[in-house]
Amino acid sequence: MNKIGIIIAREFNERVRKKSFIITTILMPLLMLGLMAAPTLMMVFAKGEQKTLLVIDESGVVAPELEGNDEVVFELFSGTLDEARQNEEVFGTLWIGKDVVEKPSSVRLYTNSSSSMSLEESIAAQIEDVVEAKRLEMYDIEGLKDIMDNLQASVSMTTYRNDLAAEGEAEEATSSVVAYLLGLVLGMMLYMFLIIYGSMVMTSVIEEKGSRVLDVLVSSVSPFQLMMGKILGVASVAVTQIAIWGVLICGLGATVLPALVPADVMQAVEAVEAGQMTALDAELDADMLSALSVATDVGGLVMMFVWLLLFLLGGFLFYSAMFAAVGSAVDSIQDANQLQTPITMPIILALILAMSVFNDPNSSLAFWGSIIPFTSPIVMMARIPFGIPTWEIVLSLVLLYASVVAMAWAAGKIYRVGIFMHGKKPSFKELLSWIKQ
């Protein structure tokens, strides 16, 4: 174990001291927040100058109802269409046909420069409202418009879990949208970590094998100790990165977010969670309330990261053992591409199965996908935000770590033979024979 510890320390120190690790670990959460805020910032700062549109309304019913905004201002034009189109001092001309109520397609927009989708949609929406109002008037029913407006309804539904309340847990509002987004992020995170860090183990073994460093190392440690030291060393790097992200996110959820959110909104979140009011009574979106509840629940965030670390570690040990075995059996990255295909396919399949979780997290496909070790790390992390029973998570972890032992044993058999093999890429049949030796 002392020898394995030395190898772990060397692999860990070599990677955490790199600038790339520091940058991705510290700046990645800030980058994610920046990407989330980018669309809003772009909408705020990307607004152009106010545009002037000349309006020729042959129907006489639309132009008086058009309202300008920060993006466009409407000016009624009494001349001909050709005269309006020749005016290059304005942005363009809006022509409305006399039969626009019966034929809404009789609308033309002529511009002197490129237009935008938001501008065109805004103009079309205003004209649609006017046409609909005029069509309602044609029925000659008193108060018909008010009746139609009163018929419109916006349902804001808050979901509560009876099974969780029956188990003695606090009754909290849940949101499938928030669970979907959280499951998607966690599943993608596991997918990226397994691929990136697993390939890192394989590349390290190939490089050291090519330089004949392994031939020297195995004179002091056994091949199995060397393989486990490399795997655990890289795994410690991944766990460290996740742990730092967990501390940052939990810290933001506990301190920064409650300070940024208005006090009345936070009170509404607590009231909805306690069942004292609905999201509709609070005049807040149910999904937003659920998102705030998840982001400010430090205990829930900590538990989420605990599950993430356990499945990350188990999944990484499971797959990195195979990556290390492939790296020991070849002499170059090019030779490894064919042998690593059977390893990456289950990871890709797990990501595909995770997408089916979002349709029904309790389906048989989702359940078995989260239990079978080849797919369980990614699929289970996609299911956890939906509030699945704890015994399923524990069963998945037990099977995963039991499979890690078996996979490490089989990979160790290949590793101890492969590191001394040079000049020939083995077939799958030969790899199987190495395991049986």
Side-chain angles (χ1 to χ4, degrees), residues 312-392:
L312 170 65
L313 182 60
F316 177 78
L317 294 177
F318 183 79
Y319 277 102
S320 61
M322 291 185 280
F323 276 113
V326 169
S328 68
V330 297
D331 294 323
S332 65
I333 300 295
Q334 291 75 18
D335 293 337
N337 291 334
Q338 180 181 358
L339 293 180
Q340 72 173 341
T341 300
I343 304 176
T344 56
M345 287 303 295
I347 301 178
I348 297 174
L349 176 62
L351 186 63
I352 296 174
L353 290 176
M355 298 302 169
S356 68
V357 169
F358 306 135
N359 295 325
D360 185 1
N362 297 311
S363 66
S364 299
L365 183 62
F367 173 79
W368 288 110
S370 63
I371 295 298
I372 299 173
F374 283 94
T375 58
S376 63
I378 296 176
V379 179
M380 182 57 79
M381 286 310 305
R383 291 186 67 205
I384 287 178
F386 288 90
I388 63 175
T390 305
W391 70 266
E392 294 186 13

Side-chain angles (χ1 to χ4, degrees), residues 236-294:
S236 63
V237 177
V239 169
T240 300
Q241 198 165 44
I242 290 293
I244 294 175
W245 288 353
V247 171
L248 289 176
I249 293 176
C250 291
L252 291 174
T255 58
V256 178
L257 191 59
L260 296 177
V261 178
D264 57 335
V265 176
M266 289 303 302
Q267 292 176 357
V269 172
E270 297 173 357
V272 172
E273 290 178 351
Q276 298 174 357
M277 66 169 63
T278 64
L280 185 61
D281 295 332
E283 298 182 351
L284 293 173
D285 183 72
D287 294 328
M288 186 187 73
L289 285 175
S290 182
L292 288 174
S293 176
V294 172

Side-chain angles (χ1 to χ4, degrees), residues 6-152:
I6 294 173
I7 300 172
I8 293 174
R10 185 261 178 187
E11 295 289 336
F12 180 82
N13 292 328
E14 180 186 6
R15 287 166 174 80
V16 297
R17 291 179 179 178
K18 291 183 178 180
K19 293 182 180 179
S20 58
F21 175 83
I22 298 174
I23 292 174
T24 55
T25 302
I26 303 300
L27 296 184
M28 185 60 71
L30 299 178
L31 179 61
M32 293 177 64
L33 291 175
L35 291 175
M36 293 171 61
T40 303
L41 295 175
M42 291 175 63
M43 292 180 64
V44 172
F45 293 103
K47 291 182 178 179
E49 298 180 355
Q50 191 180 53
K51 301 174 178 62
T52 300
L53 277 179
L54 301 180
V55 180
I56 300 177
D57 184 10
E58 296 183 356
S59 68
V61 297
V62 177
E65 304 296 332
L66 294 178
E67 297 181 0
N69 50 37
D70 295 337
E71 189 177 9
V72 62
V73 60
F74 300 98
E75 291 185 3
L76 190 61
F77 188 75
S78 57
T80 64
L81 178 60
D82 291 336
E83 293 174 349
R85 294 184 63 180
Q86 293 175 4
N87 189 346
E88 298 181 355
E89 296 181 358
V90 296
F91 175 74
T93 303
L94 177 63
W95 176 83
I96 303 171
K98 61 181 179 181
D99 57 346
V100 66
V101 176
E102 295 78 15
K103 188 180 178 182
S105 60
S106 59
V107 178
R108 303 287 186 273
L109 177 64
Y110 303 93
T111 63
N112 295 320
S113 62
S114 59
S115 182
S116 65
M117 183 174 63
S118 61
L119 173 64
E120 295 172 5
E121 290 179 350
S122 175
I123 297 173
Q126 290 197 52
I127 297 176
E128 287 175 0
D129 292 340
V130 175
V131 170
E132 290 175 359
K134 294 301 179 182
R135 287 183 174 182
L136 287 177
E137 292 177 1
M138 294 171 62
Y139 286 94
D140 196 22
I141 300 177
E142 184 178 357
L144 180 59
K145 187 177 186 304
D146 294 334
I147 295 174
M148 296 299 296
D149 292 339
N150 291 332
L151 287 176
Q152 297 180 0

